[in-house]
Amino acid sequence: MDNLFLKYMRERTGRKKTAQGPSFESPGPVITISREYGCPGRRIARQLAETLTAKNRAQGNNRDWRWISKEIIEESARELKLSPGMMEDLSEYRERGFFENLALFFSDEYYPGDVKIKNTIAKFIFNASTQGNVVIVGRAAEAITKNFANSLHIKIQAPLTWRAERVAETQGMTIQEARKEAIEMDHRRTMFRNYFEKERPDIDYFDIFFNCSTLPDEEIIESIVILAESRGFVV
């Protein structure tokens, strides 16, 4: 599996190019969900996995769909022998204060390089995707699995004002604080994605975009399910 992953990443980064890029006919199906900060990515992923599982069973297929989000960081942290908190901070470019950095310097915790962190995350996503029947939230999964034949890539968006209101409500912030938090988190996520996407536009990676300020969860999920069924993900 690791050798297949390395071959795939070499081809994606241009070290070994093919005419149309690598294409994997059998791995998957995989659905990726990217979201702007403040949009309900995990909630939609959970309900989507439950809906697809129910449809599989109705067709006599007992293979469940699963969804993963925090597991990406937890498993990657375990492989790199880091705490999940440290792994998340490093992968999201979270700034640390002077005393936090000083404490880290004198700690026994191993500090891997930026490339190693991202490639470890990518390897986990790749391996989970090849197993199939999985919904993956965030972490540039749309770029890592873009050339999987059995894949569908979703982005959930909403106006900044709408997102700031939701963040302020759920996290007990003022609107101004929530707006600043949303802008900062969007920037961090973009920095992470750009390692894999090379600053190419979203339209190069996503199949469909949803505005969650105007569409309820149920309509977004129903639309994704229809697309998944049309692609043969439910059998």
Side-chain angles (χ1 to χ4, degrees):
M1 185 70 73
D2 285 359
N3 289 338
L4 180 60
F5 167 74
L6 291 173
K7 175 177 180 291
Y8 178 74
M9 291 304 294
R10 280 195 297 269
E11 290 173 339
R12 284 204 57 82
T13 55
R15 295 183 187 177
K16 184 179 179 182
K17 295 182 179 179
T18 59
Q20 297 180 338
S23 179
F24 292 83
E25 298 298 333
S26 56
V30 54
I31 299 173
T32 69
I33 297 179
S34 178
R35 77 285 191 210
E36 292 179 324
Y37 188 70
C39 295
R42 293 178 182 177
R43 185 173 71 222
I44 287 175
R46 175 178 56 79
Q47 295 175 7
L48 175 62
E50 291 172 355
T51 302
L52 291 172
T53 294
K55 285 188 170 289
N56 263 359
R57 291 179 178 176
Q59 297 291 333
N61 179 355
N62 292 324
R63 188 175 182 190
D64 290 350
W65 278 77
R66 61 193 177 110
W67 71 280
I68 57 175
S69 176
K70 62 182 178 63
E71 295 86 352
I72 299 170
I73 290 297
E74 291 173 348
E75 293 301 320
S76 299
R78 185 175 294 112
E79 179 168 338
L80 292 174
K81 297 179 173 59
L82 291 173
S83 66
M86 173 65 71
M87 183 72 181
E88 187 157 18
D89 284 357
L90 293 174
S91 67
E92 291 186 348
Y93 299 94
R94 191 182 302 274
E95 293 184 1
R96 292 177 173 271
F98 171 77
F99 290 105
E100 287 181 300
N101 283 323
L102 188 64
L104 178 61
F105 178 78
F106 286 106
S107 75
D108 294 328
E109 192 157 26
Y110 167 65
Y111 190 92
D114 187 58
V115 171
K116 187 173 181 63
I117 289 171
K118 290 181 175 64
N119 286 344
T120 300
I121 291 172
K123 185 174 72 171
F124 176 82
I125 290 173
F126 177 88
N127 290 343
S129 299
T130 59
Q131 295 171 19
N133 289 72
V134 62
V135 181
I136 303 177
V137 181
R139 307 295 169 184
E142 71 283 347
I144 296 164
T145 64
K146 179 61 179 177
N147 289 329
F148 279 44
N150 297 321
S151 64
L152 179 62
H153 307 288
I154 311 298
K155 185 161 188 179
I156 302 174
Q157 300 174 308
L160 178 59
T161 299
W162 184 92
R163 294 187 286 126
E165 290 173 355
R166 298 309 179 279
V167 172
E169 180 181 349
T170 58
Q171 299 192 23
M173 298 178 174
T174 66
I175 292 294
Q176 292 75 17
E177 291 171 335
R179 183 183 178 91
K180 181 180 179 181
E181 177 78 0
I183 292 172
E184 182 179 349
M185 286 301 298
D186 284 344
H187 176 66
R188 289 178 187 166
R189 289 174 176 177
T190 298
M191 289 177 68
F192 181 86
R193 286 174 51 204
N194 279 343
Y195 173 77
F196 300 98
E197 298 181 3
K198 312 303 181 186
E199 300 185 5
R200 289 166 60 186
D202 282 353
I203 198 66
D204 286 354
Y205 292 96
F206 296 102
D207 299 304
I208 190 166
F209 299 80
F210 291 101
N211 183 346
C212 63
S213 72
T214 60
L215 294 171
D217 290 4
E218 293 76 14
E219 290 184 2
I220 293 174
I221 293 166
E222 182 179 1
S223 299
I224 298 173
V225 168
I226 290 171
L227 285 168
E229 289 179 319
S230 73
R231 295 193 174 195
F233 291 3
V234 177
V235 292

